[in-house]
Amino acid sequence: MTRALHQMGVAELGRALQDKAVSSVEVTQHLLSRIATHEHLGAFLATAGDAALQQARAADERRASGQATALTGIPIAHKDIFVTSDLPTTAGSRMLQGYRSPFDATVVARLGEAGVVSLGKLNCDEFAMGSANENSAYAPVKNPWDTGRVPGGSSGGSAAAVAARLLPASTGTDTGGSIRQPASFCGITGIKPTYGVCSRYGMIAFASSLDQAGPMARSAEDCALLLSAMSGFDERDSTSAQRPPQDFHAQMLQPREGASAGQPLKGLRIGLPREFFPEALAQDVNGAVRAALAELEKLGATLVDVSLPRTELSIPVYYIIAPAEASSNLSRFDGVRYGHRASQYGDLMDMYKKTRAEGFGPEVKRRIMIGTYVLSHGYYDAYYLQAQKLRRMIADDFQACFQQCDLIAGPVAPTVAWKLGDKGGDPVAAYLADIFTLPGSLAGLPGMSIPAGFGEGGMPVGLQLLGNYFQEGTLLHAAHAFQQATDWHQRAPAGI
Ligand code: GLN
């Protein structure tokens, strides 16, 4: 074995397992001990321990009997937004402390059927609301590139665990950027598929019209392998897309018509929305993104100027629609059906009030209040309805762009990861930093973040790629071509 086990990504580990160079039990043991020595990162909220080793043994047997899939025996972990029957699920909230689901989320079940080994549950912002993982009720996650900085959010634990090489891959969810932004901040690869590609069944709901699951890993190739297993129609999610199972790995490898070995992206038109490169964009981010675009050009892509004129409006639109849906979704946490219940109360109303006052953190309360307000009689038309109309216009703007290009590119976030505590007292500052991920979310489009270099303080910078509906194959193909030509995605924090 030339490389330490934790250095291997999903595809590489799959080959090593297939060649019997290593067993799933060995990898699982190795990673469990790494997880134990990296507790200071705060990436995990629960670890599986012996149960993981049992799954690894079963995976090794399955491989020996010739029944393995590409993922059999690969250790991963799930964002603690996915419900699991074998481990507690908290959604990063005190409200669900100690909660155990009677069933597995569809994404969890499908990956389980493919034979992955689940090592545990990953820390995240409370109910996935946040961009820095500082809204977790348990502990803020630290960025492995600089433990004085945030890992991004809300899938901060998922990103930090992969970046610190505690796992080859993890699951995340993205409502307004929560896969792409932490992937960017931690120097890993993540894909948020088209709304409806992955089932939302068993994914604790934040904003149901926006929530999507996706994989986070080192490379586009590893993401493609995971996404193939996670995705697909599910009759238990009424917004699940009705289409046949997709082999995203095969789609990623599919050569483009007219392409050559040196020019794999020949004919691919990449649109650069001028609103994604504002004056206020940090120099370091701009520099890394421009260099990545030049690399894509070298690979044969053509860059074209496009416009998404309502980019700035996506912030107020999202921060009306998402809280509106959250206020409705979170009404189920009433202290009666499950989760936390206040220990002392007078009548029923008092029980509701005390339970929710104790169970929810400040950001969640803020959003419930905003959401309730914008939906209330007299304000609905002025805020919620207006936001819905603008949401449609934002989606239409993308369709106009896609007349001129196949993919859209830009930064994931306006800066690299900020210092822990920096935006803690200023929620609006954090909302503003979501500007480049929100438009694609509101339109329901697929998007990726891929490592594209480093900026201030040696922190990773991500390149965002957005595609039209169900163009995950094109996205993954372009990202893979970029990763074949560059090694940003292979860089790890010092000492790892
Ligand atoms: N940062 C955004 C928010 O706070 C997005 C979160 C997410 O995608 N779950 O809502």
Side-chain angles (χ1 to χ4, degrees):
M1 192 69 31
T2 50
R3 263 153 72 80
L5 293 177
H6 60 271
Q7 307 286 8
M8 296 189 187
V10 175
E12 188 181 1
L13 208 46
R15 284 190 292 273
L17 288 166
Q18 192 56 26
D19 296 346
K20 308 253 177 325
V22 62
S23 71
S24 178
V25 169
E26 284 171 283
V27 187
T28 301
Q29 267 164 344
H30 178 73
L31 294 181
L32 285 173
S33 61
R34 268 186 82 73
I35 291 166
T37 55
H38 287 76
E39 274 181 9
H40 61 282
L41 292 175
F44 278 81
L45 291 177
T47 40
D50 286 348
L53 286 170
Q54 229 165 7
Q55 288 176 15
R57 262 189 294 276
D60 284 334
E61 281 163 26
R62 181 167 165 185
R63 215 167 256 282
S65 72
Q67 308 289 305
T69 75
L71 297 178
T72 303
I74 305 278
I76 68 160
H78 298 290
K79 182 177 183 180
D80 206 19
I81 283 285
F82 294 97
V83 301
T84 47
S85 51
D86 60 340
L87 287 169
T89 302
T90 68
S93 182
R94 273 168 52 104
M95 189 57 104
L96 284 174
Q97 192 158 25
Y99 170 69
R100 188 70 76 109
S101 165
F103 67 97
D104 284 330
T106 297
V107 161
V108 171
R110 290 204 173 149
L111 286 167
E113 282 155 25
V116 303
V117 174
S118 165
L119 298 192
K121 302 298 287 292
L122 296 160
N123 203 347
C124 57
D125 282 304
E126 185 173 7
F127 290 105
M129 299 176 191
S131 320
N133 220 120
E134 290 176 301
N135 297 335
S136 165
Y138 299 98
V141 178
K142 306 204 166 102
N143 192 314
W145 292 90
D146 173 353
T147 52
R149 300 200 189 224
V150 302
S154 63
S155 312
S158 303
V162 173
R165 304 313 192 232
L166 308 183
L167 293 167
S170 59
T171 55
T173 64
D174 190 313
T175 302
S178 280
I179 288 175
R180 289 162 286 160
Q181 186 256 24
S184 167
F185 280 13
C186 288
I188 66 162
T189 305
I191 180 165
K192 173 199 105 75
T194 307
Y195 182 79
V197 162
C198 288
S199 168
R200 291 182 298 108
Y201 183 71
M203 217 172 93
I204 294 175
F206 162 15
S208 308
S209 75
L210 295 153
D211 297 342
Q212 238 325 269
M216 303 174 75
R218 319 264 168 84
S219 66
E221 175 171 34
D222 290 358
C223 283
L225 291 170
L226 260 93
L227 187 58
S228 303
M230 289 164 70
S231 58
F233 175 66
D234 180 6
E235 61 183 14
R236 286 170 299 190
D237 171 3
S238 62
T239 58
S240 168
Q242 294 216 28
R243 38 204 305 266
Q246 304 286 310
D247 183 343
F248 292 108
H249 191 255
Q251 293 175 22
M252 178 197 84
L253 293 175
Q254 184 69 37
R256 296 181 57 79
E257 214 174 302
S260 60
Q263 297 247 292
L265 301 183
K266 191 153 181 70
L268 185 78
R269 296 163 307 162
I270 300 181
L272 309 182
R274 85 172 71 91
E275 297 78 6
F276 278 29
F277 296 89
E279 296 238 322
L281 183 62
Q283 283 285 319
D284 54 344
V285 172
N286 188 42
V289 168
R290 298 277 181 191
L293 293 170
E295 184 65 42
L296 289 166
E297 243 182 330
K298 265 205 331 225
L299 296 170
T302 316
L303 305 181
V304 294
D305 290 325
V306 295
S307 174
L308 288 169
R310 293 172 184 87
T311 296
E312 267 188 29
L313 280 174
S314 55
I315 299 170
V317 169
Y318 173 88
Y319 280 99
I320 288 171
I321 292 175
E325 294 185 21
S327 70
S328 160
N329 275 325
L330 270 55
S331 65
R332 74 192 66 181
F333 301 105
D334 58 3
V336 177
R337 283 167 286 191
Y338 38 66
H340 177 74
R341 178 186 298 171
S343 52
Q344 308 221 331
Y345 50 85
D347 61 3
L348 180 65
M349 192 53 76
D350 192 44
M351 188 279 281
Y352 288 153
K353 283 187 187 161
K354 289 209 167 94
T355 294
R356 288 167 69 83
E358 291 170 10
F360 292 136
E363 182 61 25
V364 173
K365 285 179 186 158
R366 185 176 297 122
R367 299 207 189 187
I368 292 174
M369 286 190 280
I370 294 172
T372 308
Y373 179 80
V374 299
L375 289 175
S376 59
H377 183 73
Y379 297 102
Y380 182 97
D381 287 0
Y383 295 108
Y384 185 72
L385 195 63
Q386 200 72 352
Q388 290 288 25
K389 288 181 183 166
L390 279 162
R391 180 179 187 177
R392 166 51 65 94
M393 292 166 117
I394 289 165
D396 290 347
D397 290 345
F398 274 106
Q399 291 314 306
C401 280
F402 285 126
Q403 300 289 320
Q404 294 164 261
C405 60
D406 307 296
L407 296 179
I408 287 171
V412 177
T415 64
V416 296
W418 54 85
K419 302 227 162 70
L420 280 155
D422 255 15
K423 296 194 206 277
D426 187 354
V428 175
Y431 300 170
L432 293 176
D434 288 339
I435 183 162
F436 303 130
T437 50
L438 299 179
S441 294
L442 289 164
L445 295 167
M448 287 189 80
S449 173
I450 55 177
F454 295 90
E456 180 254 317
M459 298 307 289
V461 177
L463 170 75
Q464 179 172 217
L465 293 174
L466 294 165
N468 211 342
Y469 300 112
F470 304 112
Q471 291 299 308
E472 285 79 6
T474 313
L475 274 175
L476 290 162
H477 184 79
H480 183 59
F482 180 82
Q483 294 184 335
Q484 296 293 99
T486 58
D487 69 352
W488 301 120
H489 63 293
Q490 285 165 357
R491 309 285 183 91
I496 287 180

